[in-house]
Amino acid sequence: MPDLRDIKSQYKNDKDAVVRLLEEAEKDFQFYIGGSGQWADEDIQKLNREKRPIISFNMVLSKINTVDGFQRNNRYDIRYMPVESGDVDLADIFNQLSKHIDYQNDWDQLEADAFKNTLICGLWYFTLDIDYDKDPVYGELIMGTESPWRIIPDCNAEQYDKQDGHHFWRLSWIDVGKAKALWPDKKSEIEEKTQYYQAPEESTIKTVDIHLEDLYKDPKYIPYDKKSGQIRIDEYWYKEYTEKEIFVNTQKGEIIDSEEISSDLKQQLRNLPGYIVRNIIDTKIRVKSLFGDLILSDKPSPFRKGFLAKSFPFVPLYAYRLYWKGEEVILGMTRNLRDPQQEINKRHCQILEIIGTQAHSGIMYEEDALDKEVEELLSTAGGKAGLKLKTRAGALSGGKIKPIIPPQFPQGILLLEKLGSDYIDMISGVRDWPSEKVEPGIALQVKERQAIMTIASLFDNLKRSKRILGRFKLDGMQQVYNYEKTFRVIGENRFITINRQIFNEEGNLANVENDINASAGKFDVMTMESPVSPTYRLMMFSTFFELAKQYPHPRIIAIALEFADIPSEKKAEIIDVLQSVSMPARGTGGQGVSASQ
């Protein structure tokens, strides 16, 4: 078990490893937001001195939003597929329960926001928790997202999911009163610590920034904010290794954990034919909660089932991730768009400056053409519209006053501006494909996929992270929902009851229907395109509609209607009408085709 000195050393190494990533990520968000965040400080100062506007023609935002919109319209669902044929019905139950949990957590929106943030800065996290606020007995499975400013992995971890590391950090800010309620045995120490942190005004940090700049910038960091009354809790999730004994049934392949059976049964299994004893290294996850250097608690992970019991409940989501010269490089779409975006902004400012100066290019006049007071007015207000000047007699007719003819507008600047826009298209891999006509779903989806082809790795990483999350989610469902529970099937007018206990006439438990315990079956986790996305539904409607025109069978038309975006009651009404009539099919010589054929 690591002591406080080891933890502090690990914390320093881990936060130093993410310094550059977080600094670049902040710049990425500034470029996505636009405005002055797309300008260097020295350029802003120069423009202010020259009293020129700071203009941002934000093309980064539109490129990010295009990919973000594609994901929102082409979502991927987590699906559980049975390894054995007998688990098909149970797999459907897990899939329906998974959708129910997604709906309860507003997961579609959370996932979309996480993916968008990943596109911007390169990294975000999916998280799993158990919440006991609404259900203090069994709890609820909570799916969430966190930023790389709040989740910090072990700097020595190398795998995609970072599960090969020894620890994770999760940082959060909470009210002092809540902290005292969560750790009542540490109440006096928390009060003492907050009083200690109430240092003189000049030595305190007066902001609680979600980006936690003190994490990697300010050496005088204190985990307490006087203004908001909040303290920072650092959760240190770490692995603990122990040796344990397991019994393996060589005939059935079953494994019995020695920690879950009595000592008498252990002795019987040692002498029972068909069982062998193995000693393995068991990995368990524990969580230390710290307030500064005060250890508030050290508890086991809330997850105790399956693979999740040996893993950290955090799943990284990357945009682009690679190793270069032995170092991990993480970046989003914004990183390589920053330079061409700055170029576009500067060219626009130059064009406005040229247009403004050419419109007021000035005049030339001889020494005796204007009175002194008129010369002063011309120097101070010569650029104003409608200005009236009084000249000396004969100055105009004598040619003593002439306008300065501005040079021809430099077309090269317009070319450079156009090149900047083209560079953003080429670098981002996202091009616009406007169409003047309404296209069917198949053609629309083909164009979308062609436009998005060069950034397919973004969606591969999303699917990979979702598969990892799906594996964790399966273990979490089996742990949290181990009681009889009835839930509504999302999108359908039916209910499913899991772990339903069936009793015999004597009142004894005879069977458990829809049992989702860990021993109930084995499943593969897959990601599949969601059938509820608008583009997918449009494509499927077009496919079945074309088929129905060739073979107008009521059943084919009914399937097409299932993908049409019309009210459910209208769909049912149309299908009822179709079932009651016969429709002629092409090539049948006008003979009717009944609904039963």
Side-chain angles (χ1 to χ4, degrees), residues 16 30 53 55 67 166 386 424 427 459 525 592:
D16 288 345
Q30 290 173 359
I55 299 174
V67 182
H166 169 263
I424 283 188
I427 294 171
F459 298 96
V525 182

Side-chain angles (χ1 to χ4, degrees), residues 73-75 79 441-442 445 448-449 528-544 563:
N73 286 324
N74 298 272
R75 300 181 186 276
R79 296 289 181 88
I442 297 176
Q445 190 170 65
E448 280 186 348
R449 295 189 184 281
M528 303 177 66
E529 190 167 350
S530 172
V532 299
S533 63
T535 307
Y536 179 89
R537 293 178 63 84
L538 184 57
M539 180 187 69
M540 296 302 293
F541 175 77
S542 299
T543 300
F544 282 103
F563 293 98

Side-chain angles (χ1 to χ4, degrees), residues 294-412:
L294 173 63
I295 299 178
L296 301 172
S297 61
D298 188 349
K299 299 179 179 180
S301 166
F303 297 102
R304 304 181 303 276
K305 284 282 188 178
F307 186 66
L308 184 54
K310 307 175 185 295
S311 307
F312 304 108
F314 314 117
V315 181
L317 173 61
Y318 306 97
Y320 299 108
R321 174 182 179 267
L322 63 151
Y323 274 89
W324 172 251
K325 294 183 178 180
E327 293 187 5
E328 185 181 49
V329 179
I330 298 172
L331 66 156
M333 287 183 60
T334 309
R335 194 71 48 87
N336 291 320
L337 300 180
R338 291 180 348 198
D339 286 347
Q341 177 64 67
Q342 283 187 323
E343 182 72 11
I344 290 172
N345 292 341
K346 290 180 179 180
R347 294 301 175 197
H348 273 297
C349 280
Q350 286 181 335
I351 290 172
L352 292 177
E353 178 68 13
I354 291 172
I355 292 175
T357 54
Q358 286 188 346
H360 305 286
S361 56
I363 61 173
M364 297 183 294
Y365 56 91
E366 295 183 9
E367 184 174 359
D368 60 344
L370 301 174
D371 293 332
K372 186 175 181 179
E373 58 271 17
V374 175
E375 288 186 18
E376 292 178 356
L377 178 63
L378 186 63
S379 63
T380 57
K384 291 183 178 181
L387 180 67
K388 297 179 180 179
L389 297 176
K390 182 179 181 182
T391 67
R392 290 181 178 177
L396 293 176
S397 59
K400 295 183 178 181
I401 301 177
K402 296 181 180 181
I404 298 176
I405 306 300
Q408 186 177 2
F409 187 89
Q411 298 297 315

Side-chain angles (χ1 to χ4, degrees), residues 193-293:
K193 205 75 174 175
T194 53
Q195 291 176 3
Y196 170 79
Y197 284 135
Q198 290 179 357
E201 194 71 24
E202 62 272 9
S203 64
T204 60
I205 299 173
K206 296 180 283 299
T207 180
V208 183
D209 190 350
I210 191 171
H211 296 312
L212 300 178
E213 293 184 1
D214 57 276
L215 171 64
Y216 57 94
K217 288 183 178 179
D218 198 323
K220 298 181 296 184
Y221 135 78
I222 59 171
Y224 171 66
D225 182 77
K226 292 193 299 183
K227 185 176 180 180
S228 65
Q230 291 185 318
I231 65 175
R232 202 182 85 180
I233 301 300
D234 302 341
E235 291 182 1
Y236 175 69
W237 295 67
Y238 66 97
K239 292 180 179 177
E240 187 175 63
Y241 305 98
T242 58
E243 185 179 21
K244 76 173 182 178
E245 196 175 55
I246 62 172
F247 298 91
V248 181
N249 186 321
T250 56
Q251 296 178 348
K252 298 182 179 180
E254 295 178 348
I255 297 176
I256 300 176
D257 191 338
S258 61
E259 296 180 355
E260 298 178 358
I261 59 177
S262 65
S263 56
D264 291 339
L265 183 55
K266 290 180 188 178
Q267 189 61 37
Q268 293 177 20
L269 292 176
R270 287 190 179 95
N271 301 322
L272 195 65
Y275 282 89
I276 59 175
V277 182
R278 296 206 184 279
N279 292 321
I280 64 170
I281 300 299
D282 185 36
T283 303
K284 294 182 178 178
I285 306 295
R286 296 188 64 86
V287 187
K288 283 183 185 289
S289 297
L290 299 98
F291 171 32
D293 58 359

Side-chain angles (χ1 to χ4, degrees), residues 53 108 158 178 263 289 316 344 349 361 368 399 423 484 488 581 587:
D108 282 352
E158 295 184 353
K178 184 176 181 179
S263 56
S289 297
I344 290 172
C349 280
S361 56
D368 60 344
Y423 288 152
E484 185 172 323
R488 186 186 188 93
V581 300

